[in-house]
């Protein structure tokens, strides 16, 4: 299916374009860490000839527990986003949680991400759309894929067609997510690039006081999604996942990333 191409920095995201990776630590832990990881990710993706959008969050606003670390916060994070873009030379994606944040953050990043839990928040979607930035909207765990048409329409009707749609699993009973690969071709019919979130889809949400997960399932889910036709993979990546400040159980080890991507790229090229 040919559909709207989304231009990001110096590349396009579409089903007839090179594979796109959205990757980085769950939260922005420090300037030093962010520059280190973004530099390593750029090196890997350059070697493989694929596109990279660096992902990190200045605030993890939906942590399971009040004790969970939330990130550096808006004021400290914006200069770091600027440094990643300028010094490392990669586009940056971060989450926004309120309508007021959109215009502020949009001056420092390339992609605004709408968290899954907030994907039906009309004011947030409109404010994000009006920045003119790329909007990566995650499908809520509580929505069927065809229900995303109303979410997409809110962004389009606000004057923005720079849209990515990300699947991140659906609630299946309690404390479990299931990834229905049928959702990828279903949502592709809306006419925008489809991304699969391979790390959040491996979570076991709400268990105990933290969100746990199955790291060993990440490559399985990613390979399945690429085979099903997604245009890119979202993957939280960390150099020391066990000591990451959030989502420790479902961040993919940086040292394993290149090997994993090589398999995904071969599948991506085969299905096209």
């Amino acid at each position: 299916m040919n559909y709207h191409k989304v231009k990001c920095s110096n590349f396009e995201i579409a089903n007839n374009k090179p594979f796109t990776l959205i990757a980085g630590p769950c939260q922005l832990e420090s300037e030093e860490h962010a520059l280190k990881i973004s530099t390593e990710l750029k090196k890997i993706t350059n070697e493989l000839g694929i596109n990279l959008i660096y992902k990190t969050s200045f605030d993890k606003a939906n942590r399971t527990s009040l004790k969970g670390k939330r990130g550096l916060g808006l004021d400290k994070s914006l200069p770091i986003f600027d440094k990643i873009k300028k010094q490392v030379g990669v586009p940056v994606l971060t989450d926004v949680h309120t309508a007021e944040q959109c215009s502020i953050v949009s001056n420092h990043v390339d992609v605004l991400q709408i968290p899954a839990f907030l994907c039906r928040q009309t004011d947030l979607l409109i404010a994000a759309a009006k920045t003119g930035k790329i909007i990566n909207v995650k499908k809520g765990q509580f929505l069927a894929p065809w229900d995303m048409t109303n979410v997409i329409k809110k962004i389009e009707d606000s004057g923005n067609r720079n849209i990515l749609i990300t699947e991140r699993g659906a609630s299946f009973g309690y404390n479990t997510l299931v990834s229905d690969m049928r959702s990828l071709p279903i949502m592709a019919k809306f006419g925008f690039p489809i991304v699969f979130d391979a790390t959040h889809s491996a979570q076991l949400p709400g268990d105990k006081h933290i969100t746990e997960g199955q790291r060993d399932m990440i490559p399985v889910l990613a390979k399945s999604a690429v085979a099903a036709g997604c245009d890119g993979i979202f993957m939280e990546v960390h150099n020391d996942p066990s000591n990451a400040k959030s989502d420790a159980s479902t961040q993919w080890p940086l040292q394993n990333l290149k090997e994993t991507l090589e398999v995904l790229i071969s599948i991506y090229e085969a299905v096209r």
Side-chain angles (χ1 to χ4, degrees), residues 206-227:
D207 191 20
K208 302 176 183 177
H209 68 284
I210 60 172
T211 295
E212 296 186 346
Q214 300 170 303
R215 183 180 291 124
D216 59 322
M217 290 292 110
I218 292 170
V220 176
L221 293 169
K223 287 185 286 188
S224 301
V226 174

Side-chain angles (χ1 to χ4, degrees), residues 58-69:
F58 64 85
D59 180 19
K60 300 302 295 182
N62 58 354
R63 299 305 306 277
T64 303
S65 167
L66 281 174
K67 297 178 181 179
K69 295 183 183 300

Side-chain angles (χ1 to χ4, degrees), residues 97-117:
H97 304 92
T98 67
E100 293 74 21
Q101 290 175 349
C102 294
S103 61
I104 299 170
V105 176
S106 67
N107 293 318
H108 303 270
V109 303
D110 303 88
V111 184
L112 298 179
Q113 180 164 279
I114 307 298
F117 286 132

Side-chain angles (χ1 to χ4, degrees), residues 4 18 29 32 38 61 87 98 121 140 143 183 186 218 250 264:
H4 182 68
E29 298 182 5
E32 180 183 7
S38 58
Q87 294 184 16
T98 67
Q121 298 299 309
L143 288 180
S183 71
I186 290 171
I218 292 170
T250 54
L264 298 181

Side-chain angles (χ1 to χ4, degrees), residues 34-49:
L35 291 172
K36 174 184 177 180
I37 300 298
S38 58
T39 299
E40 286 297 313
L41 289 172
K42 183 181 180 184
K43 179 182 177 182
I44 291 169
T45 52
N46 280 351
E47 290 175 355
L48 296 175

Side-chain angles (χ1 to χ4, degrees), residues 125 139 143-157 163 165 186-187 189-190 192:
L125 292 169
K139 180 181 76 63
L143 288 180
W146 43 85
D147 292 331
M148 283 294 285
T149 185
N150 296 314
V151 175
I152 301 306
K153 186 170 175 54
K154 289 178 184 180
I155 300 172
E156 279 195 279
D157 287 354
I163 302 169
I165 308 170
I186 290 171
M187 292 192 296
K189 293 178 181 178
F190 302 147
F192 298 97

